[in-house]
Amino acid sequence: MSALIFLGGLRLFAAEPWWQHALFYEIYPRSFQDSNGDGIGDLNGIARRLDYVKSLGANAIWLTPVYPSPQVDFGYDISDYEAIDPQYGTMADFDRFVAEAHARGIRVIMDMVLNHTSDKHKWFIESRSSRNNPKRDWYIWRDGRGPGKPPNNWLSDFGHTAWTYDPHTGQWYYHKFYSAQPDLNWRNPEVRKAMYDTMRFWMRKGVDGFRLDAITTLFEDIHLRDEPVLPGLNVYGDPNVQETLTNNLPEVHDVLRELRKVTDEFPGRVLIGETYLENIGDLRKMYGAHNDELQLPMDTQVGFINRLDVREFRRKINEAETELGGDMPLFVFDNHDNPRSWNRYGDGIHNEAIARVIATLLLASRAVAMAYYGEEIGMVTTPPARREDVRDPVGLVGWPKEKGRDGERTPMQWDTSRNAGFTTGTPWLPVPPNYIDVNVATESMRPESMLKWYEGLIKLRAGNAALRDGAEIMLNTSDYNVLSWLRKNPGAGPSVIVACNFTKLPQTVSFDLRTQGISATMARSLMDTGSAPLSHVSLPPFGVFVGEVR
Ligand code: GLC
Ligand code: CA
């Protein structure tokens, strides 16, 4: 909710919330910067790198989980929601990190895992102790369909049945993710209250909001009906099922409204959702019928198209522009769960140019942007070569078809020193060999580097009125090679055109902007020097043009 400000006691207007045009920078703490030589990144390490985050132009850090955890799913299995895992530091380190971030104008977003806890959390330990323990109903316990038979056909996202048998009480517990991550029962009001209080705890400490993990999976069908079976097998060798009874149930929205009330108790906080959804209509609902749910549900429909298809991007970006009721979309291409966009979109030959296209789609659109550490220097996915090197449970279960997510979690590449400057010890995941060229220190000296491209676009989107606030209007909509759009200045100032060549051949495009009320015949390039006639904008293979028009 935006703050109301009185001006001269007379005028009343809604100030724009700080996140409205923000760039969120996702940090995977294990992999960003180690400060004590144990090979694992930590809070003091991140604090040391805050000036870098600031110079990049990020407005907020999303910190993936730093709570105490057995680290089965590297922090997404939380055993205490109100403390810091000693691997990452102390609560004093955390407080200092937040203070230092705030001193630089950088907000801090915590990851909040509401769907499940660790099986080592005291609530679960109590819950499994007996069928009539007061915490029994905090989790989802059911009888099987017979000896050795789980209650139904529901599958874990991490492979195989979503139920684990507990011989002690002779019942099964449900886990959407790994067996060490039992799902909480969100129909139990005590669970809700406990979690809301946890969030208040962190907001009192000054955190600026939450990224809600796996938020669509809070509820399951109360009747435990089987999910519809689809043809074929998944990567784990299980029959495919359609996730209609364990994902995106309508009850999620009741919780989102409650969550919003809780965060609105603390002005200026933001709720971001991990919302992998099928279509724009479902995404729209996440904002709430009265804008009373999430401020920023992630739009995963644009960033994970996973092929450079002009028509798909045009359609999806346009949907975000026109079908979210004017709310800001949140675009994201990279995170700790997916192979890096470098590899998902790269063709193996023009990867660097393609990465610039991706950066442009992310940063020159009318959207809040989310970047994942290392994306800005062009880090590549480096999956483990041997099963014995795998750390991620997804890879352990899915090997060899599914190698897991280690490949996109490798240490941040800072400089050319040993271990890329990440640690003086042995890094928990190997540093990719390309760090010699692909690193912050080297790229900050090279005007042509990926880092400079990101910095340039980030600066532009913050300072240029059209790129900041202008409506996004698709241009040349029957062109299948080049994606072009206009960011129309909301006032009288210049607008911006953006053209991205999605092909390996040079392309030429021409623009007639008269229907947009723009009579210019020349565009002044904003990303390097020079200008181009609007009748003849030439683009090299996978080239990008960003130009100002009057
Ligand atoms: C989310 C996280 C992922 C985690 C899963 C279970 O998808 O991003 O890393 O494994 O939830 O918590
Ligand atoms: Ca460390």
Side-chain angles (χ1 to χ4, degrees):
M1 190 188 285
S2 47
L4 291 177
I5 293 178
F6 285 95
L7 245 196
L10 283 173
R11 282 181 45 203
L12 182 67
F13 67 97
E16 181 182 282
W18 65 266
W19 44 262
Q20 186 83 5
H21 298 284
L23 168 66
F24 288 84
Y25 187 71
E26 179 189 355
I27 291 181
Y28 197 71
R30 260 189 121 65
S31 301
F32 200 59
Q33 178 66 61
D34 180 20
S35 72
N36 63 354
D38 66 358
I40 296 171
D42 44 53
L43 288 165
N44 288 339
I46 303 172
R48 245 175 62 198
R49 295 295 189 178
L50 280 170
D51 286 333
Y52 169 72
V53 177
K54 172 89 186 158
S55 70
L56 186 63
N59 307 97
I61 288 170
W62 151 29
L63 206 58
T64 69
V66 288
Y67 316 95
S69 160
Q71 306 288 341
V72 173
D73 189 17
F74 297 108
Y76 285 95
D77 49 323
I78 300 173
S79 51
D80 180 352
Y81 281 77
E82 298 186 2
I84 298 293
D85 192 301
Q87 288 192 335
Y88 299 128
T90 63
M91 191 58 92
D93 295 335
F94 177 82
D95 290 338
R96 200 173 328 112
F97 158 69
V98 173
E100 292 201 11
H102 284 171
R104 289 167 178 79
I106 300 170
R107 307 297 219 283
V108 177
I109 305 298
M110 297 289 272
D111 214 310
M112 188 45 65
V113 184
L114 299 177
N115 177 66
H116 49 268
T117 68
S118 160
D119 62 345
K120 302 292 182 295
H121 194 293
K122 62 177 190 239
W123 300 340
F124 188 72
I125 292 171
E126 281 183 49
S127 183
R128 81 191 312 174
S129 67
S130 80
R131 288 199 187 200
N132 48 29
N133 181 279
K135 294 261 181 333
R136 186 66 168 182
D137 182 53
W138 281 40
Y139 294 84
I140 320 262
W141 291 97
R142 293 290 185 280
D143 293 331
R145 277 182 183 168
K149 288 205 186 108
N152 61 25
N153 75 345
W154 295 352
L155 290 179
S156 158
D157 273 16
F158 291 180
H160 313 318
T161 176
W163 298 92
T164 290
Y165 184 67
D166 193 37
H168 179 63
T169 53
Q171 282 193 313
W172 302 70
Y173 66 87
Y174 173 72
H175 48 89
K176 180 77 179 166
F177 298 93
Y178 211 50
S179 54
Q181 295 166 300
D183 272 48
L184 286 160
N185 174 15
W186 274 84
R187 294 198 171 88
N188 184 319
E190 290 172 21
V191 167
R192 294 191 187 197
K193 182 170 184 311
M195 281 306 194
Y196 300 158
D197 284 345
T198 289
M199 292 167 69
R200 290 186 180 101
F201 171 86
W202 291 104
M203 287 188 287
R204 271 185 218 113
K205 290 183 87 51
V207 312
D208 300 287
F210 301 95
R211 174 266 188 187
L212 301 172
D213 182 71
I215 192 67
T216 62
T217 67
L218 293 189
F219 291 90
E220 304 77 34
D221 178 40
I222 201 149
H223 307 297
L224 261 65
R225 286 170 294 184
D226 275 345
E227 304 229 70
V229 178
L230 300 170
L233 302 179
N234 65 20
V235 284
Y236 304 103
D238 311 309
N240 285 318
V241 298
Q242 199 182 353
E243 246 192 355
T244 51
L245 299 166
T246 60
N247 197 358
N248 202 18
L249 267 56
E251 289 95 324
V252 169
H253 294 281
D254 304 332
V255 171
L256 293 183
R257 279 188 294 274
E258 292 179 5
L259 285 168
R260 179 63 177 272
K261 286 207 182 97
V262 170
T263 52
D264 278 351
E265 291 167 16
F266 298 78
R269 271 35 177 214
V270 68
L271 285 174
I272 299 175
E274 187 196 21
T275 42
Y276 289 96
L277 296 163
E278 295 285 312
N279 55 61
I280 193 77
D282 282 350
L283 182 62
R284 173 77 199 104
K285 285 189 198 142
M286 291 290 157
Y287 292 84
H290 307 284
N291 264 302
D292 50 358
E293 299 186 24
L294 304 180
Q295 288 103 333
L296 294 174
M298 290 182 201
D299 181 331
T300 58
Q301 293 164 45
V302 170
F304 296 93
I305 290 174
N306 292 346
R307 54 183 193 284
L308 278 185
D309 178 324
V310 171
R311 279 168 286 185
E312 274 295 281
F313 272 94
R314 183 178 290 137
R315 186 166 70 82
K316 299 275 190 181
I317 293 175
N318 195 50
E319 279 181 357
E321 174 73 11
T322 58
E323 292 179 41
L324 293 178
D327 286 325
M328 280 307 261
L330 170 56
F331 285 177
V332 51
F333 283 80
D334 280 277
N335 60 33
H336 64 285
D337 291 326
N338 292 279
R340 287 183 178 273
S341 59
W342 180 279
N343 303 85
R344 296 202 321 275
Y345 290 96
D347 65 354
I349 300 166
H350 307 90
N351 287 22
E352 171 139 8
I354 293 171
R356 286 168 204 262
V357 170
I358 297 298
T360 310
L361 294 166
L362 175 69
L363 296 166
S365 286
R366 196 190 72 91
V368 176
M370 188 162 258
Y372 179 50
Y373 83 91
E375 172 184 340
E376 74 278 19
I377 53 172
M379 275 175 61
V380 305
T381 319
T382 312
R386 310 174 308 172
R387 190 186 187 275
E388 52 267 43
D389 299 329
V390 176
R391 306 295 305 271
D392 177 20
V394 168
L396 293 172
V397 181
W399 192 269
K401 267 196 182 159
E402 167 59 69
K403 294 192 167 59
R405 300 164 293 181
D406 296 338
E408 56 266 22
R409 299 174 176 179
T410 57
M412 178 65 173
Q413 297 169 198
W414 292 106
D415 55 42
T416 57
S417 71
R418 205 168 77 90
N419 296 323
F422 165 68
T423 181
T424 54
T426 307
W428 79 283
L429 284 177
V431 175
N434 75 355
Y435 81 90
I436 291 293
D437 301 309
V438 178
N439 66 71
V440 170
T442 304
E443 293 190 30
S444 49
M445 308 295 286
R446 267 183 45 219
E448 297 300 310
S449 68
M450 187 64 61
L451 180 58
K452 290 290 172 191
W453 182 256
Y454 267 84
E455 279 176 12
L457 283 172
I458 292 165
K459 206 179 258 171
L460 258 187
R461 83 197 287 276
N464 179 293
L467 281 177
R468 203 183 141 78
D469 282 318
E472 181 155 357
I473 300 158
M474 289 294 156
L475 300 172
N476 297 3
T477 52
S478 47
D479 188 331
Y480 295 162
N481 298 315
V482 178
L483 184 73
S484 305
W485 65 92
L486 178 73
R487 297 294 308 282
K488 187 136 203 255
N489 195 307
S495 294
V496 172
I497 54 161
V498 185
C500 297
N501 182 355
F502 273 39
T503 74
K504 61 181 182 213
L505 300 173
Q507 303 285 346
T508 302
V509 278
S510 72
F511 299 102
D512 180 351
L513 299 176
R514 277 171 305 182
T515 53
Q516 303 299 336
I518 296 169
S519 55
T521 55
M522 294 293 286
R524 187 175 69 84
S525 170
L526 291 171
M527 286 303 287
D528 47 44
T529 49
S531 56
L534 285 174
S535 59
H536 197 96
V537 177
S538 314
L539 297 162
F542 301 104
V544 174
F545 182 80
V546 183
E548 192 170 68
V549 288
R550 293 191 173 267

